[in-house]
């Protein structure tokens, strides 16, 4: 199950669409030039990012996929915005196309996963309050963060 739609992604990345729609290329007739990214790619990213969200939610102890409408209403625009970030990156723009990220060779998908993990952590109590089924986790929390090395 994907959280969101290609139309929802287009709302965040309209400049890369044709009239607000993602298009796959066609050899014709008529010949159709596809968008960058294509409809197929945006659809795949929605599924992939939704799976990453489900993984993070499951790791936090939630039953997935989330079906509580209020929670889905919070998750959906977040997933769509993350996919829109990938659309911008496909066009050499946006937050994944900064000098710092390029120089460090950081993968957009790793950054997205970190963002999702942070979102789930920040919203765990709210999701429980909304009634998202929670089964907990039987593993100890062992995560920690290490501050990046300072540039001297």
């Amino acid at each position: 199950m994907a959280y969101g739609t290609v139309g929802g992604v287009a709302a965040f990345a309209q400049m890369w669409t044709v009239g607000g729609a993602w298009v796959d290329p066609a050899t014709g007739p008529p010949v159709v030039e596809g968008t960058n990214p294509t409809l197929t790619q945006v659809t795949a990213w929605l599924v992939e990012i939704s799976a990453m969200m489900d993984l993070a939610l499951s790791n936090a102890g939630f039953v997935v996929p989330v079906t509580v409408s209020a929670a889905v209403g919070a998750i959906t625009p977040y997933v769509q915005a993350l996919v829109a970030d990938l659309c911008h990156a496909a066009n050499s723009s946006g937050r994944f196309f900064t000098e710092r990220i390029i120089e460090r060779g950081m993968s957009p998908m790793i950054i997205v996963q970190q963002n999702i993990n942070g979102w789930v952590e920040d919203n765990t109590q709210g999701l429980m309050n909304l009634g998202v089924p929670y089964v907990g986790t039987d593993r100890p929390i062992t995560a920690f963060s290490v501050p990046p090395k300072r540039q001297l």
Side-chain angles (χ1 to χ4, degrees), residues 40-102:
T40 299
Q41 185 61 65
V42 173
T43 302
W45 282 336
L46 264 174
V47 171
E48 292 165 4
I49 301 303
S50 295
M52 292 167 74
M53 176 63 81
D54 278 345
L55 180 62
L57 289 164
S58 179
N59 281 338
F62 291 100
V63 175
V64 294
V66 173
T67 58
V68 174
S69 62
V72 171
I75 294 168
T76 295
Y78 187 69
V79 168
Q80 291 174 157
L82 290 171
V83 174
D85 286 340
L86 295 174
C87 295
H88 294 302
N91 287 282
S92 302
S93 69
R95 71 182 181 120
F96 297 137
F97 201 74
T98 65
E99 211 172 286
R100 186 174 126 217
I101 288 176
I102 293 168

Side-chain angles (χ1 to χ4, degrees), residues 108-146:
M109 293 307 255
I110 297 296
I111 296 168
V112 166
Q113 185 64 58
Q114 291 169 344
N115 291 169
I116 290 171
N117 289 341
W119 188 93
V120 170
E121 184 178 326
D122 291 346
N123 291 285
T124 294
Q125 188 61 52
L127 293 168
M128 288 193 292
N129 292 347
L130 291 174
V132 177
Y134 182 78
V135 295
T137 175
D138 59 357
R139 61 181 175 78
I141 303 298
T142 59
F144 63 94
S145 68
V146 177

